[in-house]
Amino acid sequence: MSTARVLLVVSAVAFCAYSLLSQWEETTEAFARMSWPALAGSFLAAVGGLTAWMLSWRVLLAGLGSPIPVTAAARMSFISGLGKYVPGKVWALVTLMELGRAYGIPRIRNVSSSLLAIATSLASGLAVAAVTLPLTSPEATRTYWWLFLLAPVLLAMLHPRIVTWGIDLLLKLARRPGLEHPVSLAATCHATAWATAGWALFGVHTWLIADAAGGDGRGLPFLATGAYALAFTAGFLVFIAPNGFGAREAVIVITLSPVLPSGAPLVVALVSRVVLTLADLACAGAVLAVGRGGGNEPGPSRLDTDREPMKERS
């Protein structure tokens, strides 16, 4: 990797380590209350959720005119995903753009696909929360009803005509040409399906931890899924906090408190964050290791090819 990419990855890993060490005592106490099968299952579910979101973004990128192999998409998505641990919301996008240069993806197309992926995840996540939480958590419904109202609005705004108009307007303001390949309705639905599958897997991740912490009730899987979806959305809206730190935990505590013993919701929030951080690191480490070992590291000869999108490999 280039020096810039190495620095971005090292900085992200450093912030990951800080987030884990900053609450070390509370985290170790929380893990002591968990069973290893539950932790292993929640970790695998988190990896599955990250993979589903990567595939959702890949569909949108292909719909915009830059189809890439799954291996390349995984490399770009998982490595750039570490940028969310750095304060601010721009570093993941900066890393994605830097990695995209090696695969000949135009910057504008890369940015557009990332913004579309974020919108798709947030819209589908709010829809998941709006469907599950009113049936299982009256407290969350009373507190966050205003977020639920955004779900149908955001879903409607994913229509290709609205998306294309919005992105073209932004590009016009930036004095750049409009989209060459507007994303189709089929690609939007495909990406939304993958994003929703990701929310379901993250729901399994949260449910396993909540169940191990003493959660009860047949509606716990639905409550856990809605709790995570709402918590992630709220965390994303907190722009300054890295990876939604604080806001995500607050939503999980409020949402799960009625079905967990005293103190257990905070345990769930802490364990979930640590497991998700380890999943992020594991995914990024895996694609880095495969890239070095299998010769898949993009070479310097493919840099600065922003004008020509990479053709799909046969």
Side-chain angles (χ1 to χ4, degrees):
M1 290 192 295
S2 68
T3 302
R5 275 175 266 170
V6 170
L7 290 175
L8 286 169
V9 172
V10 170
S11 299
V13 172
F15 277 100
C16 282
Y18 174 76
S19 68
L20 293 175
L21 295 174
S22 61
Q23 292 183 301
W24 181 255
E25 184 176 351
E26 297 90 338
T27 302
T28 53
E29 291 178 359
F31 267 77
R33 300 173 61 174
M34 296 284 109
S35 66
W36 286 109
L39 290 173
S42 66
F43 173 81
L44 293 175
V47 170
L50 292 172
T51 302
W53 281 2
M54 175 271 293
L55 294 172
S56 176
W57 165 73
R58 177 175 177 262
V59 169
L60 293 169
L61 182 62
L64 289 170
S66 289
I68 58 175
V70 173
T71 52
R75 182 178 183 82
M76 291 177 61
S77 178
F78 294 150
I79 294 177
S80 66
L82 296 179
K84 63 176 175 269
Y85 292 93
V86 181
K89 299 295 183 184
V90 299
W91 298 110
L93 185 58
V94 169
T95 310
L96 186 68
M97 291 174 61
E98 176 67 16
L99 291 169
R101 294 176 62 230
Y103 293 102
I105 302 173
R107 288 187 178 90
I108 292 178
R109 195 173 297 166
N110 210 348
V111 171
S112 299
S113 67
S114 181
L115 294 176
L116 276 175
I118 292 171
T120 301
S121 295
L122 292 180
S124 58
L126 280 177
V128 167
V131 169
T132 56
L133 290 182
L135 301 176
T136 54
S137 179
E139 180 62 30
T141 303
R142 287 193 297 269
T143 305
Y144 298 105
W145 60 269
W146 55 277
L147 275 177
F148 296 156
L149 295 179
L150 289 176
V153 176
L154 291 178
L155 286 173
M157 291 178 67
L158 292 179
H159 191 280
R161 290 185 179 179
I162 299 177
V163 166
T164 302
W165 174 82
I167 294 179
D168 282 346
L169 178 60
L170 291 176
L171 293 176
K172 184 177 180 180
L173 293 174
R175 298 182 179 180
R176 304 300 297 269
L179 290 177
E180 304 166 277
H181 302 278
V183 66
S184 67
L185 181 60
T188 300
C189 293
H190 189 184
T192 303
W194 274 121
T196 304
W199 288 118
L201 287 164
F202 285 123
V204 172
H205 152 84
T206 311
W207 165 60
L208 289 172
I209 297 174
D211 183 68
D216 194 15
R218 289 183 297 178
L220 184 60
F222 297 99
L223 177 60
T225 302
Y228 182 84
L230 184 61
F232 183 93
T233 302
F236 182 84
L237 295 176
V238 180
F239 188 85
I240 298 177
N243 201 24
F245 187 80
R248 184 187 298 179
E249 285 75 11
V251 174
I252 288 180
V253 169
I254 291 174
T255 307
L256 295 181
S257 289
V259 297
L260 290 175
S262 177
L266 183 57
V267 169
V268 172
L270 289 173
V271 171
S272 173
R273 179 170 288 277
V274 173
V275 171
L276 288 168
T277 301
L278 294 176
D280 278 323
L281 291 171
C283 289
V287 294
L288 284 171
V290 170
R292 289 195 301 268
N296 294 324
E297 180 92 18
S301 62
R302 297 176 65 185
L303 294 176
D304 300 321
T305 56
D306 286 351
R307 295 184 179 179
E308 291 294 329
M310 193 181 81
K311 304 297 183 183
E312 186 162 15
R313 300 175 185 173
S314 57

